[in-house]
Amino acid sequence: MKLNAIIVEDEETSREILRNYLAKYCPSIVLKGEATNVDEALVLIRNNDLDVVFLDVEMPYGNAFDLLDKVGDRQFETVFVTAYNHYAIDALNAHASYYLLKPISIDKLIEAVDYVSEIKTKENNLQNSILKPLQTQVAGKITIPLQNGFEVLQMEDILYCQADDNYTQIHLKVGKRLVSKTLKYFEDSLSENGFARVHKSYLVNVNEITEYKKGKGGSVVLSSGKEIMVSPSRKKELLAYFG
């Protein structure tokens, strides 16, 4: 697939090298513009539907993290391109897709573009289709404890599970249950049966997802209309359900 991109880099020589490498070795990249500072980058980001931003860390009048803070929730992936390796942890915390050190390795650049392409392809598949995971029917049951025994629930009747301190609220197609078990307990019990941990507080039945909304992590809408945010660190795991 084609990936709309911009380069944010204040050094002219570095911009030229990256531009030439992308043109020669990464034909999927469609370059929409270049920026030398945070303000120019914001204009390009707001005026283009971008898939990836190649982003230097240090710029005049601000840095890459200032830019990402101003953008807020973003639909594009970020590939950091910098001469400094001490920003790696900050980039990880900013949910960067890739971290390239200058001088740029062509192999690493191609690897970064391939990684972004894989993420965006899966994301678009979710966005553009009625969502059903590869496993279209999840068979099985799960028991939850009661004072005088236990209740048997059909897994297919569970929409999502929500953490509530050391308890878990199980939201069903009809009604809900409060269970004195942690969300991790249900994640271990249900993860092999079509349930995905999309957030520290939510475990969802992937069969009940009807829509995915793009964002830094994005969000999913369930058949009940409930919308649940997806943590950026959990997005790739969710997308894996959809090929």
Side-chain angles (χ1 to χ4, degrees):
M1 65 177 295
K2 294 295 183 181
L3 299 171
N4 293 334
I6 64 171
I7 296 171
V8 184
E9 165 67 71
D10 65 308
E11 295 180 0
E12 183 177 353
T13 301
S14 295
R15 288 199 308 276
E16 183 178 358
I17 291 171
L18 180 54
R19 183 195 317 126
N20 291 339
Y21 279 2
L22 290 171
K24 186 172 183 178
Y25 301 106
C26 303
S28 63
I29 295 293
V30 178
L31 199 58
K32 292 293 185 178
E34 299 177 10
T36 62
N37 56 53
V38 170
D39 290 339
E40 290 177 3
L42 278 174
V43 172
L44 287 175
I45 289 169
R46 289 167 178 166
N47 291 332
N48 291 278
D49 184 14
L50 298 175
D51 298 300
V52 58
V53 172
F54 294 93
L55 185 58
D56 188 17
V57 176
E58 294 190 345
M59 293 176 284
Y61 316 113
N63 62 28
F65 306 107
D66 297 324
L67 172 61
L68 295 178
D69 285 342
K70 290 182 178 181
V71 171
D73 193 23
R74 58 187 185 268
Q75 297 186 8
F76 57 83
E77 302 297 316
T78 54
V79 175
F80 279 79
V81 186
T82 178
Y84 307 99
N85 60 15
H86 58 267
Y87 289 113
I89 297 299
D90 291 330
L92 180 64
N93 291 335
H95 306 291
S97 295
Y98 224 90
Y99 193 91
L100 296 175
L101 284 173
K102 299 176 184 177
I104 298 172
S105 159
I106 294 171
D107 288 341
K108 290 295 183 182
L109 177 61
I110 294 170
E111 193 175 292
V113 171
D114 286 346
Y115 180 83
V116 171
S117 181
E118 178 186 352
I119 291 293
K120 300 306 290 187
T121 297
K122 291 178 178 179
E123 189 175 72
N124 287 341
N125 287 342
L126 268 71
Q127 182 73 8
N128 297 327
S129 64
I130 300 293
L131 302 185
K132 285 294 175 185
L134 301 178
Q135 190 176 6
T136 56
Q137 290 295 327
V138 180
K141 302 175 182 180
I142 189 171
T143 61
I144 59 172
L146 300 174
Q147 279 190 334
N148 60 346
F150 59 86
E151 180 180 5
V152 180
L153 298 178
Q154 296 283 350
M155 291 182 187
E156 64 186 16
D157 290 337
I158 300 172
L159 294 172
Y160 65 96
C161 301
Q162 181 179 2
D164 187 355
D165 291 328
N166 290 324
Y167 290 78
T168 298
Q169 293 187 37
I170 300 177
H171 293 258
L172 305 168
K173 292 178 181 177
V174 179
K176 63 181 180 180
R177 306 287 189 272
L178 181 64
V179 184
S180 58
K181 297 283 186 182
T182 65
L183 189 62
K184 181 65 166 60
Y185 170 85
F186 287 101
E187 180 182 9
D188 292 342
S189 301
L190 296 170
S191 61
E192 294 184 1
N193 293 278
F195 285 75
R197 185 78 172 263
V198 298
H199 187 278
K200 65 179 182 180
S201 298
Y202 289 97
L203 178 74
V204 303
N205 184 344
V206 183
N207 280 302
E208 296 299 322
I209 296 175
T210 59
E211 185 180 352
Y212 174 80
K213 296 183 180 180
K214 292 181 180 179
K216 183 160 54 176
S219 64
V220 291
V221 180
L222 303 182
S223 59
S224 63
K226 171 72 174 179
E227 183 172 354
I228 296 174
M229 299 303 296
V230 178
S231 296
S233 60
R234 301 276 184 173
K235 182 166 79 169
K236 186 177 181 181
E237 179 183 342
L238 173 67
L239 296 179
Y241 278 84
F242 299 89

